């Protein structure tokens, strides 16, 4: 009983130490997954399409542009959710500590949308359509923003955090682009989108990026 109590306290302490907006994104993804699993199966492609997964012809031909947004909060199975959320809870926390809540949300949501837009444009041009979903485009936006901030603000970011950012960013990039069955265009678009948005919102004159302990 004492061991269980100690474990519960550790989990509570870990959650309390997380940045609030990033933790909110993680919670939303998990809640959406649980609700969909209760309603049906997140490994059922047609079920996922009916509930907001990305399928380019439905966006470009039927005008269902909401899919560019909703697909960021859907995951195909618990393993897909677990790996994305595990990465997000660390890299997202780093970005929010450095950039702040509002800028974090702009990068996460905006970069995720840009990744999905690039994926849609490329699919339309190549004719290679596939049902896709997941937070990975948004996570890659966070990774791109982190790398940009490390380069631009290396004198303001503690050395230990800087090393952690670079290692985490490189590992996520390698995993994302070498894993089979992933939407690489969404990853690339998210990564570049995160950098671009971060340049706009974090690189203003006299605007300092500070690390909050």
């Amino acid at each position: 009983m004492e061991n269980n109590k100690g474990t519960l306290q550790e989990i509570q302490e870990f959650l309390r130490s997380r940045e609030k907006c990033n933790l909110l994104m993680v919670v939303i993804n998990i809640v959406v997954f649980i609700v969909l699993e209760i309603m049906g199966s997140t490994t059922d492609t047609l079920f996922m399409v009916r509930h907001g997964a990305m399928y380019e012809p439905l966006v470009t031909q039927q005008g269902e542009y909401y899919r560019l947004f909703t697909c960021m909060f859907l995951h195909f199975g618990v393993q897909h959710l677990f790996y994305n959320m595990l990465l997000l809870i660390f890299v997202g926390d780093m970005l929010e500590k450095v950039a702040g809540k509002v800028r974090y949300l702009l990068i996460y949501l905006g970069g995720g949308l840009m990744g999905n837009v690039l994926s849609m444009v490329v699919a339309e041009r190549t004719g290679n359509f596939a049902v896709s979903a997941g937070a990975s485009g948004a996570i890659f936006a966070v990774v791109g923003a982190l790398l940009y901030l490390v380069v631009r603000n290396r004198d303001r970011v503690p050395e230990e955090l800087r090393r952690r950012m670079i290692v985490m960013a490189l590992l996520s990039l390698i995993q994302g682009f070498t894993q089979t069955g992933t939407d690489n265009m969404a990853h690339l678009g998210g990564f570049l989108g995160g950098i671009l948005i971060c340049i706009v919102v974090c690189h203003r004159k006299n605007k300092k990026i500070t690390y909050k302990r």
Side-chain angles (χ1 to χ4, degrees):
M1 182 68 76
E2 288 182 4
N3 287 339
N4 291 339
K5 219 181 249 190
T7 301
L8 184 60
Q9 287 175 347
E10 287 176 7
I11 293 172
Q12 290 174 338
E13 182 59 34
F14 175 79
L15 293 176
R16 278 197 294 266
S17 68
R18 298 299 93 188
E19 295 298 311
K20 299 304 181 286
C21 286
N22 185 60
L23 186 59
L24 177 63
M25 292 299 103
V26 172
V27 169
I28 290 174
N29 276 281
I30 293 173
V31 169
V32 169
F33 179 82
I34 292 172
V35 170
L36 289 179
E37 275 295 311
I38 292 171
M39 294 170 59
S41 173
T42 57
T43 58
D44 183 332
T45 302
L46 290 178
F47 174 80
M48 293 293 278
V49 170
R50 287 198 299 271
H51 291 87
M54 181 69 174
Y55 186 57
E56 289 82 6
L58 292 178
V59 177
T60 57
Q61 297 172 25
Q62 303 295 326
E64 297 179 3
Y65 293 99
Y66 65 87
R67 293 180 182 274
L68 292 167
F69 180 80
T70 56
C71 72
M72 291 193 293
F73 297 94
L74 305 178
H75 290 85
F76 289 104
V78 68
Q79 187 175 12
H80 186 203
L81 174 75
F82 176 77
Y83 284 123
N84 272 353
M85 294 305 100
L86 183 63
L87 181 58
L88 178 59
I89 204 165
F90 289 106
V91 296
D93 204 68
M94 290 180 192
L95 179 63
E96 191 173 338
K97 276 186 172 70
V98 174
K101 291 177 173 53
V102 174
R103 281 175 275 186
Y104 161 81
L105 287 175
L106 288 172
I107 292 164
Y108 181 86
L109 297 174
L113 284 172
M114 291 174 74
N116 290 332
V117 168
L118 179 61
S119 177
M120 179 182 67
V121 170
V122 172
E124 281 292 314
R125 291 191 175 182
T126 61
N128 295 325
F129 303 118
V131 177
S132 61
S136 54
I139 294 170
F140 268 73
V142 170
V143 171
L146 280 174
L147 284 180
Y148 170 77
L149 290 173
V150 167
V151 172
R152 295 297 304 181
N153 299 279
R154 53 187 175 272
D155 58 327
R156 299 172 193 162
V157 179
E159 185 178 351
E160 181 184 350
L161 178 63
R162 194 163 65 238
R163 287 199 301 267
R164 285 169 56 198
M165 283 180 178
I166 293 172
V167 170
M168 189 70 72
L170 290 176
L171 287 176
S172 60
L173 285 171
I174 292 169
Q175 181 192 25
F177 285 106
T178 57
Q179 204 172 28
T180 58
T182 58
D183 189 344
N184 286 323
M185 287 300 102
H187 290 179
L188 178 61
F191 181 76
L192 296 176
I195 293 174
L196 290 173
I197 295 171
C198 194
I199 289 172
V200 172
V201 301
C202 296
H203 191 52
R204 294 174 184 170
K205 190 176 182 180
N206 297 327
K207 195 79 170 179
K208 290 186 178 181
I209 306 301
T210 56
Y211 172 67
K212 184 177 60 177
R213 288 190 182 276

